[in-house]
Amino acid sequence: MAYLDVYVLPVLKSREADYLKWASLSRDVWLEHGALSYVESRADDAPVGKLTSFPQAVQLQPDEVIYCSYATYRDRAHRDAVMALVMADQRLAAMMQDGAANMQRMIWGGFEIVVSA
C-alpha cells in the first residue's frame, strides 16, 4: 500500500529564500534516493484554532510562516529504505543547523495511504 511522509514546520519570514533553497535541495535528495514525489507548500490559510491548529502545533511566532512538505513512496518498506539513505546524505546536514526553520518545532509522521485518486 502507498505511503506518505508529512512534515510541518515554522520558517522565519526573513529567511524564506534560504529555506526555499534548502527545500529544493531536499526535493533533489529525496528523489535521488527513490521517493516517488516530493512537494513543498506554504500555508496561506491556516488560522489559529480554538483547540488545535497548525499554528498551535508548531508554536508559530509572529515572524514565522508555516511550511508543509510531503514525500510519497510505494509502501512502508520503500519509505524506510529511502529514509535511511536520505538521513545519511551529508548534503542535508547543514540544513538541520541553519536556523531558517525551527527543526525542534517540526512535526512529522508517516502515513499509510488508504484512499487516493
Side-chain angles (χ1 to χ4, degrees):
M1 182 146 316
Y3 205 81
L4 172 75
D5 271 332
V6 178
Y7 307 89
V8 180
L9 64 159
V11 173
L12 288 168
K13 291 176 183 176
S14 64
R15 301 282 312 277
E16 280 189 87
D18 295 327
Y19 178 76
L20 290 174
K21 289 177 188 173
W22 286 116
S24 294
L25 173 62
S26 295
R27 176 204 57 217
D28 295 347
V29 169
W30 256 263
L31 294 177
E32 282 177 28
H33 291 305
L36 302 178
S37 68
Y38 182 95
V39 173
E40 189 76 38
S41 56
R42 182 183 194 270
D44 74 347
D45 185 19
V48 175
K50 292 182 181 179
L51 297 177
T52 62
S53 67
F54 284 108
Q56 290 168 318
V58 299
Q59 301 172 359
L60 191 68
Q61 302 299 307
D63 62 341
E64 296 172 331
V65 64
I66 298 170
Y67 274 81
C68 176
S69 58
Y70 67 87
T72 60
Y73 313 91
R74 289 188 302 271
D75 53 32
R76 172 73 188 265
H78 178 229
R79 177 268 203 155
D80 291 348
V82 169
M83 285 302 288
L85 296 170
V86 167
M87 290 297 108
D89 195 306
Q90 291 303 305
R91 292 176 289 177
L92 298 180
M95 178 178 77
M96 300 300 178
Q97 306 302 321
D98 179 70
N102 190 316
M103 299 304 194
Q104 294 178 346
R105 289 187 282 133
M106 176 177 70
I107 57 174
W108 65 275
F111 299 84
E112 184 177 330
I113 298 173
V114 295
V115 176
S116 67

